[in-house]
C-alpha cells in the first residue's frame, strides 16, 4: 500500500480515457495505390495530415487471404504525416501481422460504411439542416493544438476556434463564433455535410474529402456569417 505522504513521488497514473480518432478505411492493400492517393491528398491539404493519429480499418480486407505489408504501409503513412496507432476489423492473420508491426488491436465498435471522396454529390438539401442524433456541443474556446471530433454526428461549437485548432465531424459543423482554425465536415464521406460559422477566418475547410486552404478562400467571404457546402465536386461559400 502506498503511503499517502509519498503520493507526490509517483511518476505516473493510469486512468481510463476515451478518444475519438480518424479512421482510414483500407479497400486495397496495394502500397503503391495508397501512396499515390495519399500524396495527392497531402498536397491538397498538408495541415490536415500533419501529426494526425489514425486508426486503420481492415473490414474490407478481412475476407481476403492476403496479409498487408504493414511495415511498408506504416512507412507510407508516417511519410505523409499521419501517425497510425492501431487496427480494427482484420482477420486473425492480419491482426497478428499488425501486432508484430507494433500496432494496437482495437476492439470492434459499430461499423459504418464510408463513401469515396470522388463520389458524385447528392442533390443539394435545404439551406438549414437540423443537428443529427449524437450531436456534440462544445461551449468552451477551442485553442491552438486542440482537436475535437464528433463521431457519427454534428459538431456545435459555441465559442471561438483559434488558429491551429482542428474541428472534425462525420456530419455538419456549426461554429457560433470565429472560425480561425481548420474545419472538416463529412469526414467519413458524407458529401451532403455542411459547415456553418458566424465569422469565417479558417486556415482550412473540407467537406467529404474536398479541401480549400486559406490562400484559396474568397476574400469577400472572410469575416462574414457563411455556410459552406459541396456542389459539383467544388466547395461553395454562401452568406447566411
Amino acid at each position: 500500500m502506498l503511503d499517502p505522504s509519498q503520493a507526490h513521488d509517483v511518476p505516473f497514473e493510469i486512468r481510463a480515457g476515451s478518444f475519438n480518432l480518424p479512421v482510414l478505411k483500407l479497400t486495397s492493400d496495394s502500397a503503391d495505390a495508397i501512396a499515390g492517393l495519399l500524396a495527392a491528398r497531402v498536397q491538397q491539404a498538408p495541415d490536415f495530415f500533419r501529426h494526425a493519429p489514425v486508426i486503420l480499418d481492415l473490414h474490407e480486407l478481412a475476407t481476403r487471404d492476403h496479409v498487408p505489408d504493414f511495415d511498408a504501409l506504416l512507412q507510407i503513412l508516417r511519410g505523409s504525416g499521419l501517425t497510425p496507432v492501431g487496427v480494427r476489423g482484420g482477420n486473425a492473420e492480419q491482426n497478428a501481422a499488425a501486432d508484430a508491426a507494433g500496432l494496437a488491436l482495437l476492439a470492434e465498435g459499430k461499423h459504418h460504411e464510408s463513401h469515396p471522396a470522388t463520389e458524385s454529390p447528392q442533390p443539394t438539401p435545404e439551406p438549414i439542416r437540423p443537428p443529427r442524433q449524437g450531436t456534440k456541443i462544445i461551449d468552451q474556446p477551442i485553442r491552438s493544438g486542440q482537436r475535437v471530433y464528433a463521431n457519427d454526428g454534428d459538431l456545435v461549437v459555441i465559442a471561438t476556434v483559434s488558429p491551429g485548432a482542428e474541428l472534425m465531424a462525420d456530419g455538419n459543423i456549426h461554429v457560433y463564433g470565429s472560425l480561425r482554425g481548420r474545419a472538416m465536415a463529412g469526414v467519413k464521406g458524407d458529401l451532403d455535410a455542411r459547415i456553418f460559422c458566424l465569422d469565417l477566418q479558417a486556415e482550412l475547410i473540407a467537406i467529404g474529402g474536398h479541401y480549400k486552404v486559406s490562400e484559396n478562400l474568397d476574400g469577400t467571404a472572410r469575416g462574414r456569417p457563411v455556410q459552406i457546402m459541396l456542389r459539383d465536386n467544388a466547395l461553395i461559400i454562401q452568406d447566411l
Side-chain angles (χ1 to χ4, degrees):
M1 178 70 68
L2 181 66
D3 187 337
S5 64
Q6 298 177 331
H8 65 281
D9 295 327
V10 177
F12 65 86
E13 294 181 3
I14 298 178
R15 296 182 178 182
S18 178
F19 299 92
N20 291 315
L21 299 179
V23 175
L24 182 66
K25 181 179 179 181
L26 297 181
T27 57
S28 169
D29 58 5
S30 169
D32 290 340
I34 294 170
L37 181 57
L38 266 180
R41 294 294 174 82
V42 170
Q43 187 175 13
Q44 288 179 315
D47 287 339
F48 172 72
F49 293 92
R50 189 173 294 124
H51 308 308
V54 66
I55 295 169
L56 304 182
D57 188 321
L58 305 179
H59 281 90
E60 290 289 329
L61 307 181
T63 58
R64 307 177 191 177
D65 294 333
H66 185 66
V67 176
D69 184 345
F70 283 105
D71 290 334
L73 183 57
L74 295 183
Q75 185 176 0
I76 291 168
L77 296 175
R78 289 166 180 158
S80 299
L82 293 167
T83 303
V85 296
V87 300
R88 72 179 190 187
N91 59 36
E93 189 177 4
Q94 291 165 350
N95 287 343
D99 180 55
L103 291 168
L105 303 181
L106 303 178
E108 287 293 335
K110 187 177 181 180
H111 180 52
H112 300 271
E113 291 294 330
S114 61
H115 304 281
T118 55
E119 182 180 337
S120 299
Q122 300 298 317
T124 303
E126 293 298 319
I128 302 301
R129 301 177 66 189
R132 306 179 185 204
Q133 187 176 8
T135 293
K136 176 180 287 189
I137 300 177
I138 306 294
D139 58 6
Q140 299 292 328
I142 310 299
R143 306 191 183 281
S144 177
Q146 289 185 300
R147 169 178 290 176
V148 180
Y149 176 36
N151 185 25
D152 294 329
D154 290 358
L155 175 60
V156 179
V157 180
I158 313 174
T160 294
V161 180
S162 299
E166 189 169 275
L167 307 180
M168 302 175 66
D170 292 343
N172 306 308
I173 294 176
H174 305 254
V175 180
Y176 297 102
S178 295
L179 172 56
R180 298 191 177 100
R182 300 182 290 274
M184 288 152 279
V187 297
K188 287 185 179 177
D190 183 356
L191 303 181
D192 286 338
R194 298 192 181 194
I195 299 170
F196 304 86
C197 69
L198 295 183
D199 178 14
L200 179 63
Q201 305 283 348
E203 297 170 323
L204 176 145
I205 52 175
I207 295 177
H210 297 258
Y211 303 91
K212 271 191 179 182
V213 294
S214 58
E215 293 82 0
N216 297 330
L217 295 180
D218 186 350
T220 61
R222 290 185 176 277
R224 301 173 62 89
V226 298
Q227 65 168 325
I228 302 155
M229 69 192 77
L230 190 65
R231 183 177 295 162
D232 296 330
N233 290 323
L235 291 181
I236 304 297
I237 302 176
Q238 294 181 348
D239 287 343
L240 281 177

